Amino acid sequence: MARGFSKAVTSQQKPTDSLPSMNLLNTSFLEHFANLNDPRIERSKAHLLKDIIAIAILAIISGADGWVAIEAYGNAKYEWLKSFLELPNGIPSHDRFSRVFARIEPQQFQECFLSWVNAIVGELELNVIAIDGKTMKQSYDRNDQQKALHIVTAWSSSHQLVLGQKKVDKKSNELTAIPALIEMLEIAGSVITIDAMGCQKDITSLIVKKKGDYILALKGNQKLLYKAVKEWFEVAQKEEFLGREYSYYEQVEAGHHRGEKRQVWTVDVSELPPLHNQALWTGLKIVVMIVSERRLWNKTTTATRFYLSSLSSNAEKIALAIRSHWGIENSLHWTLDVTFCEDESRIRKQNSPENFALLRRLAINLLKQEKTSKQSLKMKRYRAGMDNNYLVQILNSAS
């Protein structure tokens, strides 16, 4: 039986029968949203803000993907919801949900989310934090000349947690969003991994200042630095690294009629000639080369990638950290598109796309922390929609 319930709740039971569930909601993650400013004027507050937020979160966990679905969930679960929410005027309409979330200040909503996440990860060792951006393709609005929303997210692969998100401003790019996101996070003792867009001197300074380490993909956007590192490794390979100090690690994976071999070299920057503006790359200790050979039944492809890092030269450790970076693509972005249909969402009004994106990430955190079921997230959502006790179990998983 799920903690927080004395017995299963049915529509015939009195609201007082499940007071423990009210305590669960009020004292767990929803308490972190208690100080969120209500954007409505007094006369339009027919529904409590905490009720609106609670229904939205529970509905999205249970499979809702828009305001109409959230209203439908609320109406279907009214008797159960009434046992722990006040609902003075019943379930809000989908238009009401839309208007409220369109006006909630995203920065405040984010701060509430971060408060909840920090309560979860306070005693966890985060290890690798991957930072990457994703565009919500259908959030553009041609009539209002509104671009599609692009969000940069921080992700802990080891704990399967979204740690925070930052919207990319209309007239900007990830170069401004990434530092703002890092500023919000507690990264001391963690390794930050970012793709080539984040390979910037200012970002290395910020990470080191906050007592973190970094592994940054190095590509052509740092033209002179990339050219020098690439040419050094080419010469070193031809000479089989003779007379050079380096660390080497090799990893082979096979399955589904394909195989992949990854070779990793890490070299102290002292082994290379002085790099372009080397002193400005705060904390830089090593350069990295990864050669990946992928074999399919009909062809073989090879790719070479380079990285900068503030870590010591340990090829195995670096390889595992870089490998875990792709968890943000496989475990988060793929899940958002396939399980939560984020790319298909037409939510566009004012702050709604950003706030709904945060609700999805909150739901993912809760679902992934529930470890008793080995089912997919899709099946967890399906079960949560039918089984109130299991939904409470999901809420308990992050308590």
Side-chain angles (χ1 to χ4, degrees), residues 39-67:
R40 300 170 294 172
I41 59 176
E42 200 60 39
R43 69 172 182 270
S44 67
K45 295 180 181 179
H47 305 276
L48 301 180
L49 183 62
K50 70 180 183 65
D51 288 355
I52 291 173
I53 293 173
I55 295 169
I57 291 171
L58 295 173
I60 292 170
I61 291 172
S62 303
D65 56 7
W67 308 126

Side-chain angles (χ1 to χ4, degrees), residues 21-227:
S21 68
M22 182 198 298
N23 293 334
L24 169 68
L25 282 169
N26 288 339
T27 60
S28 62
F29 70 89
L30 277 184
E31 68 180 2
H32 299 283
F33 295 84
N35 295 324
L36 184 66
N37 289 339
D38 193 330
R40 300 170 294 172
I41 59 176
E42 200 60 39
R43 69 172 182 270
S44 67
K45 295 180 181 179
H47 305 276
L48 301 180
L49 183 62
K50 70 180 183 65
D51 288 355
I52 291 173
I53 293 173
I55 295 169
I57 291 171
L58 295 173
I60 292 170
I61 291 172
S62 303
D65 56 7
W67 308 126
V68 174
I70 291 173
E71 180 190 0
Y73 172 87
N75 289 327
K77 297 284 186 175
Y78 175 75
E79 294 299 331
W80 180 64
L81 294 170
K82 184 65 178 175
S83 70
F84 55 87
L85 298 178
E86 295 184 43
L87 303 179
N89 291 291
I91 301 298
S93 69
H94 61 275
D95 284 334
R96 181 83 62 173
F97 280 109
S98 174
R99 286 196 296 270
V100 170
F101 280 98
R103 295 174 61 191
I104 287 176
E105 172 55 45
Q107 184 61 39
Q108 276 199 344
F109 203 35
Q110 167 85 266
E111 288 170 1
C112 296
F113 175 82
L114 288 173
S115 171
W116 172 67
V117 169
N118 288 336
I120 298 174
V121 304
E123 298 180 1
L124 298 178
E125 185 179 351
L126 288 177
N127 301 318
V128 178
I129 298 174
I131 294 179
D132 197 17
K134 180 182 182 297
T135 300
M136 295 164 55
K137 295 180 181 178
Q138 295 301 320
S139 61
Y140 74 93
D141 191 331
R142 186 178 291 108
N143 292 332
D144 290 341
Q145 295 184 333
Q146 176 179 298
K147 282 186 172 182
L149 179 65
H150 188 80
I151 288 178
V152 176
T153 304
W155 169 257
S156 170
S157 293
S158 56
H159 300 296
Q160 298 286 284
L161 276 170
V162 175
L163 304 177
Q165 70 175 36
K166 184 66 179 177
K167 172 186 173 182
V168 175
D169 292 333
K170 294 179 181 178
K171 296 182 180 180
S172 184
N173 56 34
E174 291 185 12
L175 289 182
T176 57
I178 291 173
L181 179 57
I182 293 172
E183 284 281 12
M184 294 190 298
L185 303 174
E186 295 294 334
I187 65 169
S190 300
V191 179
I192 308 299
T193 61
I194 316 177
D195 63 16
M197 177 65 79
C199 188
Q200 303 291 330
K201 294 182 280 293
D202 291 345
I203 290 176
T204 65
S205 298
L206 177 59
I207 292 171
V208 172
K209 179 183 176 183
K210 298 199 70 174
K211 300 181 180 179
D213 284 294
Y214 59 83
I215 302 175
L216 308 179
L218 176 63
K219 292 185 178 178
N221 60 327
Q222 296 292 339
K223 186 176 180 180
L224 297 177
L225 188 58
Y226 175 80
K227 183 173 181 289

Side-chain angles (χ1 to χ4, degrees), residues 291-307:
V291 178
S292 301
E293 183 183 90
R294 192 179 188 195
R295 296 182 179 181
L296 303 176
W297 68 273
N298 60 342
K299 64 178 181 180
T300 298
T301 58
T302 302
T304 302
R305 291 168 285 148
F306 302 97
Y307 298 85

Side-chain angles (χ1 to χ4, degrees), residues 275-339:
L275 299 171
H276 179 68
N277 287 333
Q278 181 175 325
L280 299 180
W281 293 88
T282 307
L284 178 60
K285 290 183 181 178
I286 63 170
V287 291
V288 182
M289 179 175 74
I290 297 181
V291 178
S292 301
E293 183 183 90
R294 192 179 188 195
R295 296 182 179 181
L296 303 176
W297 68 273
N298 60 342
K299 64 178 181 180
T300 298
T301 58
T302 302
T304 302
R305 291 168 285 148
F306 302 97
Y307 298 85
L308 307 178
S309 179
S310 62
L311 295 169
S312 300
S313 184
N314 182 323
E316 182 176 2
K317 182 178 180 180
I318 296 293
L320 294 175
I322 292 173
R323 186 68 174 160
S324 72
H325 176 84
W326 301 113
I328 195 170
E329 290 287 350
N330 301 329
S331 298
L332 179 61
H333 292 170
W334 186 89
T335 298
L336 285 167
D337 285 340
V338 175
T339 305

